[in-house]
Amino acid sequence: MRISIYGSTLEAYVTAVCLALTENSVTLFSNSFPAEDDELPFIKSEPSLTNKLSEAIKENTLKVRETSAFINANIHWLFYKGKNFDELLYVIKELLSDQEAVSVVISTTLGVGTYNRLYNHFENEVKNGFLKLATLPSFIREGRALDDFANPELLLIGTEDNQLISTLSYLLSPVIQKAQKVMFISGAEAELIKTSICSMLATRLSLINELALLSEELHIDMDKVIEGVSSDSRIGKSYLDLGCGFGGLTLPQEVNNLLEQFSNKSTASIMLKAVVEANQTQKELLFRKLWHYYQGNLSALKVAIWGASFKPNSSSIANSPIHELVEALTAQDCNISIYDPAAMPALEFKYTSYANVQLCDDKYAAVQESDALFIVTAWDEFLAPDFNQLKTLMKIPVIFDGRNIYEPREMETLGFEYFAVGRGKTINL
């Protein structure tokens, strides 16, 4: 089949590569929508994506174009992660003006109501058969994106058009065979399912972090609590990782989308507002601990930060806690040195004008003469550093671990003061 894909996101590239390697002719228009500032480096950091991309191009089943010229295709698949509905609307209008009839699939984070807004806007074209419309929410995760596409836990195909259902079933037949569950539903239902999943995951993360704050006050190791809680089959282990706040594009945007939906209804969501507020507070946790540790005397201190991406195996700093930390430390006249193995291009773009921010190409260079070390991202290379070298390089051997990657007793034995989330030494905030 001939497939045109529009977008510069990870999802767009992965979908283009996977479809091109299953005997389809795919054209990827990578500049169809504006990219986030830190979005494109994923091509290098995503396992196997570069090789698969080269393979598909070499086999001539995939063409990557920077222009937005529209071509005849069986499916036009739009990937959009922005916030402007009109940008999505514009591309569909262009498709309709260039061809007699088109089948359009949308994968977007615009959230609940997007499908119905598009359907209502193009109602005449839909009823007259000029536009066939579907939505396929993406559940692709950075670091394992190719596997998520090829072997999904859940595949949602949202459309009421039987012909389009048939076309997508044929196109995605290799995926459908491996998916744990496939649902053919309306576009509106698909959007609400995706948003509900993201909101529930965000709620789990915020709640477990709040419980961790209580565990610190009670001098209880939160890891033991999580071990017990997760043994209940009704709860399980997923998304119970303690940390200094969740980030990325998907979870925050989906939660905000759902909040907007509630704001337009007679009932407001008290819980989702609390989730957003709790996550924002959590992003400030490491700074608050530093503040109390130094009793508010932070001016001219040097703070090292290991990790900036919102999660390991990602180059994206979208909604990462790094931003709250940099702003808070800057306001206190602190000097900041940051190291991240993948997010340096994004950091350079964001913080190149900050005179107090130094970007380092080595984790040990970042901690030289530092008064504290923050750990923001649980990259593998941070798990077992040379602690003797680390202690020698630091001016004050104190670590504020936002991802709980070390054992508190071991760190104490090594001569570090160690403050984590729900573990380690306790500071009354």
Side-chain angles (χ1 to χ4, degrees):
M1 297 180 68
R2 295 186 307 278
I3 312 299
S4 291
I5 294 178
Y6 307 84
S8 55
T9 66
L10 171 63
E11 292 86 349
Y13 273 80
V14 168
T15 302
V17 167
C18 290
L19 293 181
L21 293 176
T22 51
E23 301 182 356
N24 295 291
S25 177
V26 181
T27 302
L28 171 62
F29 298 101
S30 64
N31 282 355
S32 301
F33 299 110
E36 293 288 330
D37 296 336
D38 60 337
E39 203 163 57
L40 286 178
F42 65 74
I43 297 176
K44 294 182 179 179
S45 61
E46 188 68 28
S48 303
L49 180 56
T50 301
N51 291 338
K52 294 291 185 182
L53 183 65
S54 298
E55 180 184 345
I57 292 174
K58 184 177 180 180
E59 291 183 2
N60 203 33
T61 56
L62 173 62
K63 296 179 176 62
V64 180
R65 300 285 184 262
E66 293 188 357
T67 60
S68 295
F70 301 114
I71 60 175
N72 187 31
N74 301 105
I75 294 288
H76 296 270
W77 200 328
L78 279 54
F79 290 87
Y80 180 62
K81 273 193 173 180
K83 300 178 181 179
N84 188 346
F85 176 78
D86 289 339
E87 289 181 341
L88 192 62
L89 204 63
Y90 173 79
V91 174
I92 298 177
K93 286 180 179 178
E94 290 294 301
L95 285 169
L96 286 167
S97 66
D98 195 58
Q99 302 174 60
E100 291 185 359
V102 293
S103 295
V104 174
V105 175
I106 57 171
S107 294
T108 175
T109 54
L110 283 171
V112 177
T114 303
Y115 179 85
N116 283 344
R117 287 180 69 187
L118 289 173
Y119 189 96
N120 292 336
H121 188 92
F122 295 106
E123 185 173 4
N124 289 334
E125 289 84 351
V126 172
K127 288 183 176 180
N128 291 321
F130 297 125
L131 174 64
K132 298 183 182 299
L133 186 64
T135 183
L136 267 73
S138 173
F139 293 96
I140 287 175
R141 294 164 289 182
E142 290 190 46
R144 50 168 299 166
L146 289 169
D147 186 61
D148 278 347
F149 182 90
N151 303 280
E153 292 183 11
L154 174 63
L155 177 61
L156 301 176
I157 299 177
T159 183
E160 295 85 4
D161 190 292
N162 290 329
Q163 185 176 343
L164 189 50
I165 290 174
S166 178
T167 301
L168 290 171
S169 297
Y170 179 78
L171 174 66
L172 299 173
S173 57
V175 179
I176 290 173
Q177 291 174 13
K178 295 181 179 180
Q180 294 184 26
K181 185 174 182 63
V182 181
M183 296 179 68
F184 293 93
I185 49 183
S186 71
E189 289 168 337
E191 288 174 346
L192 186 55
I193 290 171
K194 168 65 183 295
T195 301
S196 298
I197 289 173
C198 291
S199 297
M200 288 182 181
L201 295 178
T203 301
R204 283 173 67 101
L205 289 170
S206 291
L207 177 58
I208 203 65
N209 280 329
E210 284 199 334
L211 291 173
L213 296 179
L214 176 61
S215 77
E216 288 188 26
E217 293 183 8
L218 299 175
H219 301 283
I220 294 172
D221 188 332
M222 192 61 190
D223 270 13
K224 298 297 183 183
V225 177
I226 292 176
E227 182 181 352
V229 168
S230 63
S231 66
D232 190 315
S233 61
R234 295 169 299 178
I235 298 174
K237 298 180 179 180
S238 297
Y239 281 75
L240 291 181
D241 297 320
L242 299 173
C244 51
F246 62 81
L249 289 172
T250 302
L251 283 189
Q253 193 162 336
E254 292 289 358
V255 171
N256 287 330
N257 287 338
L258 198 53
L259 268 174
E260 289 178 7
Q261 288 294 313
F262 276 109
S263 69
N264 296 325
K265 309 301 179 187
S266 58
T267 56
S269 174
I270 298 174
M271 179 175 290
L272 283 180
K273 287 181 180 178
V275 168
V276 173
E277 292 173 1
N279 189 53
Q280 186 60 38
T281 299
Q282 200 69 15
K283 290 182 178 183
E284 301 163 0
L285 177 64
L286 297 184
F287 174 78
R288 297 202 310 276
K289 290 191 174 189
L290 180 76
W291 174 273
H292 285 276
Y293 180 83
Y294 280 106
Q295 298 180 338
N297 300 313
L298 303 184
S299 180
L301 291 184
K302 179 182 178 182
V303 178
I305 301 178
W306 281 3
S309 59
F310 80 95
K311 59 180 270 188
N313 300 318
S314 170
S315 60
S316 174
I317 60 173
N319 296 308
S320 167
I322 190 67
H323 305 302
E324 283 77 8
L325 292 177
V326 168
E327 295 301 330
L329 292 169
T330 299
Q332 296 299 318
D333 295 321
C334 293
N335 296 309
I336 309 166
S337 56
I338 309 174
Y339 168 73
D340 187 285
M344 301 313 285
L347 289 169
E348 289 174 3
F349 184 91
K350 178 73 174 179
Y351 294 112
T352 186
S353 62
Y354 283 61
N356 66 316
V357 175
Q358 177 188 10
L359 303 180
C360 303
D361 56 7
D362 175 80
K363 61 179 178 286
Y364 295 113
V367 300
Q368 184 77 40
E369 289 297 305
S370 62
D371 296 287
L373 169 62
F374 286 174
I375 298 175
V376 173
T377 315
W379 285 98
D380 285 347
E381 71 171 272
F382 301 155
L383 300 182
D386 185 331
F387 286 109
N388 289 328
Q389 182 181 1
L390 182 61
K391 185 179 178 183
T392 300
L393 290 171
M394 295 182 70
K395 183 179 178 181
I396 306 294
V398 57
I399 297 176
F400 298 90
D401 185 355
R403 300 301 173 187
N404 288 10
I405 63 176
Y406 303 135
E407 283 297 323
R409 290 183 181 178
E410 181 182 354
M411 298 306 294
E412 183 178 348
T413 301
L414 291 169
F416 291 90
E417 287 191 272
Y418 180 70
F419 302 89
V421 183
R423 307 191 76 203
K425 295 187 69 176
T426 299
I427 292 182
N428 294 323
L429 302 178

